[in-house]
Amino acid sequence: MTGTDHENRGYRRLFGPDGLTFGIGFPLTGVRESTPAVDEEVRLATHAESVGFDGLWARDVPTYWPRFGDAGGAFDPWPLLSHVAAHTDSVALGTSSIVLPIRHPIHVAKSAATVDRLSDGRLVLGIASGDRDPEYPAFGVDPEERGTVFRERVEAIRSIWREEFPSTAGEWGTLEGDLDVLPKPTTDTIPLLPTGNARQSTEWIAERGDGWLFYHLPEKTLRSYLDRWRELAGEKPFAIAVRVELADDPDADPEHLHLGYRAGVDWFREYFRELEGYGLDHAIVGLQADDPEAAMTTFAGEVIDEL
């Protein structure tokens, strides 16, 4: 399935026929160990849309674990994306990613369908099995079972969206009889993109997902993943998240950062051109900068517009 095959507006925006697209991840202000100013986050979101980013991605981090060093932007993704939807027009709204084992599938289905309706079909869901160890006991979840739990909840959420008065059950509970869950999404299903391996086989992800969202990978590894993905999933999209820090010198060579690079815009232009050649469909940029607005403008003008 390609972006043009899905009726969801956000999916079509991210995964259309015109090559590599770019999103940007919250917190846009770069505030990761406390609560960012929401007005500034929204202002930067509208700026990102205006300069040409195709997606705005919110993370799901229910609790703050200082040892991990990242609060994920502090805000819950559902109200955050609803608020951003009211201040934007056509940019896709994504989650990167909802941690299914620690969220009840009825709540996920209802919250996601609500944001989808409020945004007129712009929501795309990255979904994950999670990676913050202390969160599982906080939610009463056995971390060793999260692969099974993830699969069950994907099936439950799909059923809730697609069926009136669905009959579905799992370790989370039972939904049947005279109970329905409203609203339904604007399309048959909101696109689901498993993140990383999510404790599943690549075959399962290719069959059940609407695409695959991955972390930053070295170029050689990414190419091998993309080749394997095309064998299994055909034209279903593949996206990665990559940290980007723009050097003052546009000709600066790359320095490796955790999950990304610091480099000049000339290097990034060639880097993303190469990834587009591999068949990458979407890149979520984690833009690190003292002046986020200026960095967005530079990246859009010197990288996005030049590909």
Side-chain angles (χ1 to χ4, degrees):
M1 178 185 294
T2 64
T4 53
D5 293 332
H6 203 293
E7 295 180 356
N8 175 278
R9 287 179 62 210
Y11 194 84
R12 294 202 311 269
R13 175 72 182 262
L14 297 177
F15 307 123
D18 297 328
L20 180 62
T21 62
F22 290 86
I24 191 166
F26 290 100
L28 304 178
T29 55
V31 176
R32 295 181 180 276
E33 296 183 13
S34 60
T35 303
V38 68
D39 289 348
E40 185 66 2
E41 292 287 322
V42 172
R43 186 186 72 80
L44 290 171
T46 61
H47 181 71
E49 180 180 44
S50 72
V51 297
F53 284 89
D54 293 288
L56 296 165
W57 294 84
R59 296 168 62 197
D60 182 23
V61 184
T63 62
Y64 176 42
W65 184 24
R67 184 172 158 190
F68 203 91
D70 187 350
F75 299 112
D76 185 88
W78 306 125
L80 173 62
L81 291 177
S82 295
H83 189 58
V84 170
H87 290 82
T88 54
D89 298 314
S90 60
V91 67
L93 305 173
T95 59
S96 57
S97 295
I98 299 299
V99 184
L100 291 188
I102 60 176
R103 284 185 175 266
H104 198 285
I106 293 176
H107 288 153
V108 172
K110 187 177 186 73
S111 296
T114 298
V115 175
D116 182 67
R117 287 276 181 175
L118 294 175
S119 67
D120 193 21
R122 289 190 276 148
L123 183 65
V124 175
L125 284 187
I127 50 175
S129 59
D131 59 6
R132 301 194 181 208
D133 294 341
E135 286 190 335
Y136 299 103
F139 288 91
V141 173
D142 181 355
E144 297 304 315
E145 296 297 322
R146 62 187 186 269
T148 300
V149 169
F150 180 92
R151 289 193 300 276
E152 284 190 355
R153 296 190 181 198
V154 167
E155 298 308 315
I157 291 165
R158 296 277 203 198
S159 295
I160 290 167
W161 286 336
R162 286 174 166 159
E163 301 171 22
E164 294 184 2
F165 300 97
S167 179
T168 183
E171 41 69 44
W172 51 270
T174 301
L175 180 63
E176 60 183 2
D178 294 331
L179 292 178
D180 199 0
V181 180
L182 299 175
K184 302 299 183 185
T186 59
T187 55
D188 176 58
T189 179
I190 297 171
L192 296 179
L193 277 63
T195 303
N197 291 309
R199 300 212 160 202
Q200 312 304 319
S201 68
T202 306
E203 289 80 3
W204 187 94
I205 294 170
E207 179 183 354
R208 302 302 181 91
D210 296 301
W212 199 2
L213 174 58
F214 221 92
Y215 314 104
H216 173 258
L217 294 167
E219 289 89 314
K220 184 177 180 180
T221 305
L222 174 61
R223 189 166 193 171
S224 68
Y225 269 65
L226 280 164
D227 289 345
R228 177 63 173 155
W229 179 246
R230 296 302 170 211
E231 290 176 7
L232 294 172
E235 294 303 311
K236 286 184 180 181
F238 192 103
I240 64 167
V242 56
R243 182 181 174 191
V244 169
E245 186 174 333
L246 298 177
D248 292 336
D249 179 0
D251 296 322
D253 290 333
E255 302 174 26
H256 285 275
L257 303 174
H258 178 60
L259 300 178
Y261 301 99
R262 181 181 188 274
V265 290
D266 292 345
W267 183 86
F268 275 117
R269 188 184 307 115
E270 294 308 311
Y271 168 71
F272 284 112
R273 188 170 287 150
E274 183 177 23
L275 299 195
E276 183 177 36
Y278 295 165
L280 184 68
D281 296 288
H282 183 70
I284 304 171
V285 174
L287 196 57
Q288 307 295 298
D290 292 333
D291 186 341
E293 181 176 350
M296 286 180 197
T297 302
T298 298
F299 186 89
E302 298 292 335
V303 179
I304 297 176
D305 293 346
E306 296 299 321
L307 289 184

